[in-house]
């Protein structure tokens, strides 16, 4: 197989049999959509959607000093995460730049699973391996050990409840527990990237097809539809969730991205990037960096990543993500803008769309919050 050939998930043939439009995403052949991305988006907001996320990068960190290694390698307080719980965190360079945002699951006393974005999985694996020097801990590439299916949307607890005797009611947001779903051994996690309640199911690749089929059958009376990456992007955008490569990059520290809360200076010992991030935190207090805001179009033209944000004839920021919002019925965008234009309701802000300054309303993120 040549290196240019995209990787395929265990569900590849199934996606094609469902008529999915496939696309190369971070070196993987992934379903973009099965039919209408608007219908898929709306299904997740109102009923439920089923996603193949097997392109995500799972990395096992195990051993007596696994917690100490992760506390050194990442910006979060991972040693403080209880077994069965998960934490959103970041891995940064020595200069504070964000290498990736991650979810870390503590599966046992000395066993963790780090889930990286597909596009950064190798970078994260290499960094963790390098940073493991001197720690009694092992870093293992587990990308081929898992397929990952996600059921997202208000109907997802009811769909899953019919297939598992795991205690879903007791499973908190950002927690994971081992169980069986439709007879398949799985790590059942209550996490997601859509702004809705939902579950992510880590299973062996050889069980992926039977689990997908069981979920599809169980979801028949609940409006469950298969969903591609396209609606996943509009769902996360409405929920104000950052995407690596758009809102996050090595050019930004967590403080520049408005996510300084993930950096835990109070944890013991040194961690990679501590000195640079201490400086970045001080800078952010003295002189606020550009702020990530929401923009809602007054017209119909859709902003795209890289478009300048303007006010009073000058460039005051840049769009990082933009799309039509099926839920709001208007184009929306996330953008980094100068702090003086960042307050919700700020007047006179526009987006330069191919030379035309289209008017936009500045709003607080997220655009959409589910009713609990």
């Amino acid at each position: 197989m040549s290196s240019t050939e995209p990787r395929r998930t265990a569900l590849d043939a199934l996606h094609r049999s469902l008529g999915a439009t496939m696309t190369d995403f971070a070196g993987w052949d992934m379903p973009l959509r099965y039919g209408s991305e608007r219908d898929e988006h709306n299904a997740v907001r109102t009923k439920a959607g089923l996603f193949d996320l097997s392109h995500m990068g799972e990395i096992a960190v195990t051993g007596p000093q696994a917690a100490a290694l992760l506390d050194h390698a990442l910006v979060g307080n991972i040693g403080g995460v209880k077994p069965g719980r998960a934490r959103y965190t970041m891995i940064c360079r020595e200069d504070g730049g964000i290498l990736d945002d991650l979810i870390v699951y503590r599966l046992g006393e000395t066993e963790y699973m780090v889930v990286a974005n597909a596009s950064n999985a190798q970078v994260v694996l290499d960094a963790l391996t390098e940073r493991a020097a001197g720690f009694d801990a092992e870093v293992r590439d587990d990308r081929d050990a898992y397929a990952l299916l996600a059921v997202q949307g208000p109907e997802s607890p009811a769909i899953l409840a019919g297939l598992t005797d795991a205690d879903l009611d007791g499973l908190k947001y950002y927690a994971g527990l081992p169980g069986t779903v439709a007879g398949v051994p799985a790590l059942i996690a209550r996490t997601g990237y859509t702004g809705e309640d939902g579950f992510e199911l880590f299973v062996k690749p050889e069980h992926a097809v039977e689990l997908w089929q069981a979920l599809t059958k169980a979801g028949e009376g609940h409006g469950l539809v298969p969903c591609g990456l396209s609606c996943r992007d509009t769902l996360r955008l409405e929920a104000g969730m950052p995407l690596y490569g758009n809102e996050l990059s090595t050019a930004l520290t967590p403080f520049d991205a408005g996510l300084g809360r993930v950096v835990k200076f109070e944890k013991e010992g040194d961690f990679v990037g501590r000195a640079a991030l201490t400086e970045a935190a001080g800078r952010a207090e003295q002189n606020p960096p550009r702020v990530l805001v929401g923009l809602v179009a007054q017209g119909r033209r859709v902003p795209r990543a890289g478009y300048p944000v303007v006010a009073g004839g000058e460039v005051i920021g840049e769009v990082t993500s933009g799309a039509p919002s099926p839920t709001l019925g208007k184009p929306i965008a996330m953008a980094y803008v100068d702090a003086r234009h960042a307050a919700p309701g700020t007047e006179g802000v526009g987006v330069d769309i191919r030379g035309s300054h289209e008017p936009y309303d500045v709003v607080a993120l997220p655009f959409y919050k589910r009713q609990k």
Side-chain angles (χ1 to χ4, degrees):
M1 201 165 118
S2 75
S3 58
T4 53
E5 193 76 16
R7 297 180 69 177
R8 297 184 167 195
T9 78
L11 292 160
D12 186 78
L14 196 144
H15 298 316
R16 290 168 199 278
S17 75
L18 291 170
T21 300
M22 305 296 285
T23 187
D24 181 355
F25 183 83
W28 289 81
D29 221 3
M30 297 298 293
L32 190 61
R33 71 181 78 80
Y34 298 84
S36 150
E37 48 207 63
R38 175 181 292 267
D39 290 350
E40 291 171 25
H41 178 111
N42 290 334
V44 175
R45 286 276 176 261
T46 59
K47 303 255 173 37
L50 178 57
F51 296 83
D52 177 9
L53 305 178
S54 303
H55 61 314
M56 300 296 279
E58 296 88 4
I59 301 162
V61 180
T62 57
Q65 289 189 301
L69 161 58
L70 289 169
D71 276 340
H72 163 71
L74 311 179
V75 300
N77 179 3
I78 308 304
V81 178
K82 293 185 168 62
R85 298 306 304 262
R87 179 76 38 93
Y88 175 79
T89 186
M90 292 181 183
I91 183 166
C92 291
R93 300 193 306 196
E94 199 66 70
D95 67 1
I98 303 165
L99 281 172
D100 201 13
D101 62 336
L102 311 164
I103 296 178
V104 180
Y105 296 91
R106 187 168 195 170
L107 304 179
E109 205 51 51
T110 60
E111 187 184 358
Y112 295 81
M113 180 169 68
V114 177
V115 182
N117 285 297
S119 52
N120 294 328
Q122 192 62 47
V123 169
V124 174
L125 178 67
D126 292 346
L128 286 174
T129 303
E130 190 182 311
R131 294 172 190 188
F135 288 92
D136 185 3
E138 187 200 347
V139 176
R140 185 177 72 237
D141 182 356
D142 260 1
R143 282 177 286 182
D144 293 335
Y146 292 104
L148 176 56
L149 280 64
V151 188
Q152 295 281 307
E155 291 288 319
S156 54
I159 293 167
L160 217 55
L163 294 174
T164 183
D165 52 11
D167 177 18
L168 297 181
D169 289 343
L171 188 63
K172 296 186 173 75
Y173 188 51
Y174 267 73
L177 87 172
T180 58
V181 182
V184 169
L187 171 68
I188 305 166
R190 199 167 207 153
T191 47
Y193 194 51
T194 61
E196 298 299 337
D197 191 11
F199 302 89
E200 297 191 329
L201 308 170
F202 295 86
V203 299
K204 287 183 175 171
E206 57 264 34
H207 293 148
V209 171
E210 63 178 291
L211 182 57
W212 179 284
Q213 288 170 337
L215 289 164
T216 300
K217 194 161 172 42
E220 276 171 4
H222 296 276
L224 177 81
V225 302
C227 291
L229 292 181
S230 190
C231 80
R232 184 170 149 89
D233 194 46
T234 52
L235 289 159
R236 71 92 197 164
L237 177 54
E238 288 182 351
M241 294 178 170
L243 174 66
Y244 195 91
N246 291 44
E247 286 73 39
L248 308 174
S249 74
T250 50
L252 299 171
T253 71
F255 294 95
D256 298 321
L259 290 164
R261 64 179 183 275
V262 305
V263 181
K264 304 299 181 192
F265 291 119
E266 68 275 14
K267 66 178 173 175
E268 281 177 36
D270 196 18
F271 61 89
V272 177
R274 183 191 269 272
L277 290 168
T278 303
E279 269 181 46
R283 269 201 316 275
E285 264 183 38
Q286 295 304 310
N287 180 20
R290 282 186 166 176
V291 180
L292 189 64
V293 300
L295 298 175
V296 178
Q298 293 177 17
R300 309 299 313 160
R301 295 186 73 184
V302 178
R304 297 295 178 195
Y307 285 9
V309 181
V310 292
E314 60 172 323
V315 174
I316 55 142
E318 187 177 297
V319 170
T320 52
S321 295
S325 163
T327 306
L328 276 64
K330 297 174 179 177
I332 58 171
M334 287 201 275
Y336 283 111
V337 301
D338 294 346
R340 68 182 188 279
H341 294 282
T346 301
E347 309 240 316
V349 171
V351 175
D352 183 340
I353 299 181
R354 298 194 188 92
S356 164
H357 290 190
E358 302 288 328
Y360 274 73
D361 297 320
V362 179
V363 300
L365 291 169
F367 300 96
Y368 165 85
K369 224 177 186 155
R370 72 183 168 100
Q371 303 302 308
K372 295 244 160 94

